[in-house]
Amino acid sequence: MNSYLDENFPKLKIEKPLFYNWPIGLRFEIGQDELEVSNEYFNAAHERAVSIFKSVFGHNDEIELIYQQYSDGRKKIRKGSFIFKQIEPTKNGLAKYSDVRDIYELDYKSECWKRVYIPSLSLKSINYKNILLSLIHSDFSCRFPSISGECFFINKSKNIIVNLYDDRGMDVISASKNELISLYNKHNDWLLNYDREKMDLVFS
């Protein structure tokens, strides 16, 4: 159990799509439909994701990271995995591992989601640009770096959770509307039009 999440995001399941799982949130379009899937497309998507991320996380913010991947019960998150290579080595010793069975729909008892939770991070201790790029590439195994799991960045200082779910979009939720108003205004042109009406009702 994560007492911080229980207190600030009660009953929230750490699963995609965050935007639909919580009443206060923003959903951004990351990959731009008008661009062909090419180097230009991926570069533009990465620049947009990094820009939003930097608008959410400041250098003095306290950050936690949750990484999880599907498992048939045997596959594990190993200490030499990609995600750990993107985090300052001294922080990896703080990692806490768990098996999670109360998210998504699992067909068999042997199935679960392997989760690692890493607290007490800062912006400088995470290679967030590389993690974001790997998430953008998650559906394109021919591109490097690529990652198969899910990553949730938690800003404890501002009570915000960020999930870049793939090249298409990024969800940003908060315990308070006030924490997201500036983000809503700053990157309004990037909001996903499909969900714009819902967002406007909350933030306009």
Side-chain angles (χ1 to χ4, degrees), residues 18-161:
L18 274 186
F19 178 78
Y20 296 122
N21 295 343
W22 191 253
I24 304 170
L26 299 171
R27 172 161 271 206
F28 293 98
E29 181 181 21
I30 298 301
Q32 300 168 57
D33 289 339
E34 63 269 22
L35 296 178
E36 294 184 6
V37 178
S38 60
N39 284 337
E40 181 186 6
Y41 170 86
F42 290 107
N43 289 339
H46 188 231
E47 288 178 7
R48 185 172 286 194
V50 168
S51 181
I52 296 168
F53 191 93
K54 290 170 71 174
S55 295
V56 172
F57 295 93
H59 289 286
N60 296 320
D61 291 341
E62 184 180 356
I63 303 170
E64 298 183 343
L65 184 146
I66 291 176
Y67 174 77
Q68 60 193 27
Q69 63 184 31
Y70 169 79
S71 175
D72 58 5
R74 294 171 293 181
K75 187 176 181 181
K76 298 180 180 179
I77 302 173
R78 303 190 182 280
K79 292 183 178 179
S81 67
F82 172 83
I83 195 70
F84 285 117
K85 294 178 181 178
Q86 312 312 311
I87 297 170
E88 186 179 291
T90 57
K91 300 293 185 179
N92 288 335
L94 303 174
K96 300 176 182 179
Y97 300 83
S98 61
D99 290 354
V100 184
R101 302 182 187 276
D102 62 348
I103 60 173
Y104 303 110
E105 293 184 8
L106 303 174
D107 294 326
Y108 304 100
K109 289 184 178 180
S110 60
E111 294 177 334
C112 68
W113 282 76
K114 298 289 185 179
R115 176 180 290 175
V116 60
Y117 158 71
I118 309 174
S120 303
L121 299 173
S122 63
L123 207 57
K124 67 179 182 180
S125 64
I126 310 170
N127 188 345
Y128 64 88
K129 291 182 179 179
N130 220 26
I131 296 175
L132 294 175
L133 184 60
S134 71
L135 293 166
I136 289 170
H137 291 164
S138 60
D139 288 336
F140 303 87
S141 57
C142 59
R143 297 190 67 89
F144 182 82
S146 179
I147 198 168
S148 60
E150 303 174 352
C151 196
F152 300 83
F153 296 92
I154 302 169
N155 187 328
K156 289 185 69 176
S157 302
K158 298 174 181 173
N159 294 329
I160 296 175
I161 303 177

